């Protein structure tokens, strides 16, 4: 008898396929971790800017002084530019990983953001401080953010 040596090349090919599949899976996991880190960083910056804005308003009220007018650049927008404003971009800033994946806190988180960005509520909270020259543009952007949040609530 002879035998046993046949099929050796096929085994190497299968090992290569398994190696390629494992590498692809590792790459997907690394990309997911990178996206999660980017989301966490954007969310942390977004929350910190809201905290700073609220602290500034409280400090001005305690000093019985008029706080400075709010310009568009002073507001913690959930995106860089109006052209970037999409529900996905807004979600990247306002939702944590669990909520972004449809977790139990998603609805509550979106409702909190809608209270913050609803045009009427925004004007009630910040309207008196809006820079007159930028007021119309700010409110148009607030409305666009609110609409993105409403779409996220529906989806």
């Amino acid at each position: 008898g002879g035998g046993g040596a046949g099929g050796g090349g096929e085994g190497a090919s299968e090992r290569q396929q398994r190696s390629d599949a494992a590498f692809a899976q590792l790459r997907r996991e690394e990309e997911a971790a990178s996206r999660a880190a980017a989301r966490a960083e954007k969310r942390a910056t977004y929350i910190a800017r809201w905290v700073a804005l609220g602290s500034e308003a409280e400090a001005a009220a305690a000093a019985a002084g008029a706080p400075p007018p709010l310009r568009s650049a002073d507001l913690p927008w959930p995106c860089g530019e109006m052209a970037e404003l999409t529900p996905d971009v807004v979600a990247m800033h306002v939702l944590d990983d669990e909520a972004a994946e449809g977790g139990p806190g998603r609805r509550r988180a979106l409702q909190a953001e809608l209270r913050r960005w609803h045009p009427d509520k925004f004007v009630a909270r910040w309207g008196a401080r809006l820079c007159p020259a930028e007021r119309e543009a700010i409110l148009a952007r607030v409305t666009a953010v609110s609409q993105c949040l409403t779409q996220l609530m529906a989806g």
Side-chain angles (χ1 to χ4, degrees), residues 74-113:
D74 301 327
L75 295 167
W77 299 108
C79 64
E81 298 297 325
M82 184 75 157
E84 300 169 358
L85 194 58
T86 66
D88 288 342
V89 170
V90 171
M92 171 77 74
H93 288 78
V94 305
L95 298 176
D96 61 21
D97 284 341
E98 184 179 328
E101 298 300 321
R106 179 182 177 91
R107 185 167 186 79
R108 188 170 47 253
L110 288 171
Q111 286 171 333
E113 290 299 321

Side-chain angles (χ1 to χ4, degrees), residues 65-150:
L70 282 176
R71 303 180 65 89
S72 182
D74 301 327
L75 295 167
W77 299 108
C79 64
E81 298 297 325
M82 184 75 157
E84 300 169 358
L85 194 58
T86 66
D88 288 342
V89 170
V90 171
M92 171 77 74
H93 288 78
V94 305
L95 298 176
D96 61 21
D97 284 341
E98 184 179 328
E101 298 300 321
R106 179 182 177 91
R107 185 167 186 79
R108 188 170 47 253
L110 288 171
Q111 286 171 333
E113 290 299 321
L114 275 168
R115 283 191 296 276
R116 176 178 283 160
W117 289 106
H118 186 280
D120 294 340
K121 295 183 186 316
F122 187 90
V123 168
R125 173 74 172 100
W126 303 105
R129 287 191 54 199
L130 294 180
C131 173
E134 296 183 22
R135 183 181 180 90
E136 188 175 323
I138 289 171
L139 294 180
R141 196 166 174 189
V142 166
T143 299
V145 171
S146 180
Q147 289 169 345
C148 285
L149 290 165
T150 300

